[in-house]
Amino acid sequence: MVSPSPSFSSSLSSLPSVLELAPVVPVVVVEDVSDAVPLARALVAGGLPAIEVTLRTPVALDAIRAIADAVPDAVVGAGTVISPGQVADSVAAGARFLVSPGWTDALLDAMRGSGVPFLPGVSTTSEVVALLERGVTDMKFFPAEAAGGAAYLKSLGGPLPQARFCPTGGIGPAVAPEYLALPNVLCVGGSWMLPADAVAGGDWARVEELAREAAGLAS
């Protein structure tokens, strides 16, 4: 397991994978762009520098741009990337990594050509093997709990030890340690450190504390 390092905020040029950014990657849905910067600062202060902003809202790209411009210690990425156009738009906005819930050849080619680390999503053994055939070893496992959970990933470790995962989907603090204990899991993604009421109320101190607790799960 690789712990967060200040070097991540200055350069990704030597970073081999999104999986090595941090043991827990907050999955963020930004509804109001004014929340983006204080939210990111709270997460970084709590020890979670890698922030995946999902492209599920109209302001997502603006949120990525705001975080990239105003929070230098954050490593902001784009999630829910499902088209080559979104790849280009995300990188142009300042995304320093890309995460997709699934993949196609066209999307994979676009992510490969983006110049930033990426995690294509998988939920079946066949999808994992197909990516391995294409030279991709680092993947998002989604939706993690619905697709078989930690037990499923543990079973893949024997026949496919070269595949490494960031499971996301239905993961909270109770089950995150089960995933993080697996040798083929380097990090997990989740939103539990961002409760809706705290974000809506601008309770960034609470977000920071929850982020600190999440960061401690890998210790």
Side-chain angles (χ1 to χ4, degrees), residues 3 23 28 64 77 79 90-91 93 98 104-105 169 175-176 178 182 187 196 202 209:
S3 299
V28 181
I64 290 171
S90 297
V91 174
L98 304 168
T104 64
D105 286 331
V175 298
E178 298 177 28
L182 299 176
C187 64
E209 180 57 30

Side-chain angles (χ1 to χ4, degrees), residues 208-219:
E208 179 180 339
E209 180 57 30
L210 290 172
R212 185 171 292 107
E213 292 173 3
L217 293 175
S219 61

Side-chain angles (χ1 to χ4, degrees), residues 18-19 21 25-27 51-55 76-83 86-87 90 95-103 107 111 116-122 139-142 166-168 187 189:
V18 180
L19 299 180
L21 285 169
V25 178
V27 179
I51 301 170
E52 176 188 335
V53 177
T54 67
L55 302 184
V76 63
T80 321
V81 177
I82 58 173
S83 72
Q86 287 182 329
V87 170
S90 297
R96 299 173 69 188
F97 64 91
L98 304 168
V99 184
S100 69
W103 64 277
L107 179 57
M111 290 193 293
V116 300
F118 62 92
L119 288 179
V122 298
M139 313 168 194
K140 171 180 178 175
F141 179 58
F142 177 83
C166 174
T168 304
C187 64

Side-chain angles (χ1 to χ4, degrees), residues 16-217:
S17 171
V18 180
L19 299 180
E20 298 182 21
L21 285 169
V24 178
V25 178
V27 179
V28 181
V29 179
V30 179
E31 301 286 353
D32 186 336
V33 71
S34 67
D35 291 335
V37 168
L39 183 153
R41 286 174 174 158
L43 291 173
V44 171
L48 301 181
I51 301 170
E52 176 188 335
V53 177
T54 67
L55 302 184
R56 301 181 193 176
T57 68
V59 302
L61 291 174
D62 289 334
I64 290 171
R65 189 174 293 107
I67 294 170
D69 289 344
V71 193
D73 290 333
V75 181
V76 63
T80 321
V81 177
I82 58 173
S83 72
Q86 287 182 329
V87 170
D89 290 343
S90 297
V91 174
R96 299 173 69 188
F97 64 91
L98 304 168
V99 184
S100 69
W103 64 277
T104 64
D105 286 331
L107 179 57
L108 187 64
D109 288 345
M111 290 193 293
R112 279 183 185 273
S114 69
V116 300
F118 62 92
L119 288 179
V122 298
S123 60
T124 69
T125 305
S126 294
E127 291 169 326
V128 174
V129 172
L131 282 178
L132 292 175
E133 283 184 350
R134 289 160 174 79
V136 178
T137 59
D138 295 352
M139 313 168 194
K140 171 180 178 175
F141 179 58
F142 177 83
E145 285 290 276
Y152 187 91
L153 288 179
K154 182 178 181 179
S155 71
L156 292 182
L160 302 170
Q162 65 272 53
R164 311 190 307 171
F165 300 97
C166 174
T168 304
I171 296 176
V175 298
E178 298 177 28
Y179 287 95
L180 292 170
L182 299 176
N184 58 349
V185 172
L186 274 72
C187 64
V188 300
S191 302
W192 72 86
M193 71 295 297
L194 297 161
D197 60 335
V199 174
D203 189 352
W204 308 123
R206 182 180 172 199
V207 171
E208 179 180 339
E209 180 57 30
L210 290 172
R212 185 171 292 107
E213 292 173 3
L217 293 175

